[in-house]
């Protein structure tokens, strides 16, 4: 396997769109300061029946494996389009192609071993000074397993750079609310985002221009925008928030 070029910043996205949701501002700022960026996608986001149904105009019950594979290809294309908006291109992206929605399911031990090897290689070759990944407290199983795999890869490769996490799913689709900044919100007897400290230790400001570009990159994930725009738009805030993973197990 060809060795990957080293980069300054490595972003792990469980699905196409998570890289924009969590890190579009950080990526733009890195590109603007001449830093190199690689985005690693755990899955192609192929296991989303609602999105496949909307894309192909079929009832969910009529969807076939071919439809899901085509959705995955469409989402890869959207990830490339979004990357271009952020100042990157396809050569900055690595699609691992693991099955969407079942990364955390057992047994599939071959998947786990292969994923560990792929994550370790991505981290070892990239030699980043900083890594971004979804938080272990994220409610989506693919997001949690991506965090776990990155942690294991960091240990296996002796990675000593910074590892920062971001939250996408906490409180279903009720967090975050629409508004310029992220807030701690209480509903259903709990506070969100759950499982992380508040206020977030790292808050990165986005300029109005960066926020606008982030919104365009979110829209480039068209299969998601069509069905989830009311949710996705809430991440186009004037800031992005992160937690250092060093205190996580
Ligand atoms: Zn996701």
């Amino acid at each position: 396997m060809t060795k990957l070029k080293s980069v300054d910043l490595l972003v792990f996205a469980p699905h196409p769109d998570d890289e924009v949701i969590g890190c579009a501002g950080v990526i733009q700022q890195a590109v603007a300061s001449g830093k190199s960026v690689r985005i690693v996608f755990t899955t192609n986001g192929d296991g989303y029946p609602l999105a496949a149904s909307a894309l192909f105009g079929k009832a969910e019950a009529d969807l076939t494996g071919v439809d899901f594979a085509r959705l995955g290809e469409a989402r890869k294309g959207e990830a490339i389009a979004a990357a271009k908006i952020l100042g990157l291109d396809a050569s900055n992206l690595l699609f691992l192609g693991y099955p969407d929605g079942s990364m955390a399911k057992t047994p599939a031990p071959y998947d786990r071993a292969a994923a560990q090897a792929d994550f370790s290689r991505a981290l070892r070759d990239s030699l980043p000074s900083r890594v971004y990944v979804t938080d272990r407290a994220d409610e989506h199983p693919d997001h949690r397993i991506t965090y776990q795999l990155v942690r294991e890869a960091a240990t296996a490769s002796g990675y000593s750079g910074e590892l920062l996490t971001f939250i996408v799913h906490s409180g279903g689709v009720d967090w975050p609310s629409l508004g310029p900044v992220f807030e701690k919100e209480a509903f259903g007897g709990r506070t969100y985002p759950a499982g992380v400290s508040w206020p977030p230790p790292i808050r990165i400001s986005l300029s109005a221009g960066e926020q606008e570009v982030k919104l365009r990159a979110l829209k480039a994930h068209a299969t998601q925008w069509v069905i989830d725009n009311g949710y996705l738009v809430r991440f186009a805030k004037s800031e992005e928030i992160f937690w250092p993973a060093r205190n996580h197990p």
Side-chain angles (χ1 to χ4, degrees):
M1 210 175 277
T2 333
K3 197 169 187 292
L4 301 165
K5 279 199 291 192
S6 65
V7 291
D8 298 308
L9 198 148
L10 188 61
V11 177
F12 285 92
H15 313 100
D17 75 0
D18 292 316
E19 80 290 6
V20 179
I21 290 171
C23 302
V26 160
I27 292 169
Q28 289 177 68
Q29 290 171 12
V31 170
S33 63
K35 290 185 178 147
S36 52
V37 178
R38 173 170 296 121
I39 305 170
V40 180
F41 295 94
T42 315
T43 77
N44 295 337
D46 51 301
Y48 195 173
L50 192 60
S53 175
L55 182 60
F56 303 118
K58 279 186 176 183
E60 287 187 28
D62 297 333
L63 292 168
T64 65
V66 173
D67 294 325
F68 287 110
R70 284 171 61 205
L71 171 63
E73 285 308 306
R75 293 191 68 178
K76 278 172 78 171
E78 291 170 355
I80 294 167
K84 286 182 178 158
I85 291 168
L86 299 178
L88 305 174
D89 62 42
S91 70
N92 300 105
L93 311 184
L94 182 62
F95 295 96
L96 297 180
Y98 285 96
D100 179 16
S102 59
M103 279 299 287
K105 287 182 190 153
T106 52
Y110 61 92
D111 272 352
R112 181 63 184 240
Q116 280 170 335
D118 281 341
F119 275 67
S120 291
R121 171 177 168 259
L123 188 57
R124 201 179 49 240
D125 287 4
S126 299
L127 286 171
S129 56
R130 194 172 288 165
V131 172
Y132 293 87
V133 64
T134 41
D135 196 90
R136 61 174 189 148
D138 196 291
E139 285 171 358
H140 196 303
D142 288 343
H143 289 213
R144 293 198 300 274
I145 195 71
T146 296
Y147 170 80
Q148 195 58 44
L149 287 162
V150 169
R151 279 308 290 254
E152 290 170 11
T155 303
S157 62
Y159 173 70
S160 59
E162 272 192 283
L163 180 54
L164 303 181
T165 68
F166 56 95
I167 291 262
V168 177
H169 301 289
S170 191
V173 292
D174 293 323
W175 181 91
S177 292
L178 199 58
V181 295
F182 288 96
E183 313 257 19
K184 183 173 189 166
E185 300 173 41
F187 49 88
R190 290 192 73 184
T191 57
Y192 297 93
V196 289
S197 59
W198 198 268
I202 301 172
R203 306 184 94 137
I204 304 293
S205 292
L206 274 66
S207 68
E210 288 164 350
Q211 208 176 327
E212 175 57 33
V213 168
K214 178 167 185 168
L215 185 61
R216 278 174 46 218
L218 284 169
K219 289 179 181 173
H221 285 286
T223 57
Q224 308 309 295
W225 187 259
V226 162
I227 51 180
D228 285 336
N229 58 73
Y231 171 64
L232 291 172
V233 73
R234 295 186 237 149
F235 288 90
K237 296 192 184 302
S238 65
E239 64 171 355
E240 289 175 349
I241 57 176
F242 303 97
W243 287 263
R246 73 178 81 92
N247 297 327
H248 290 356

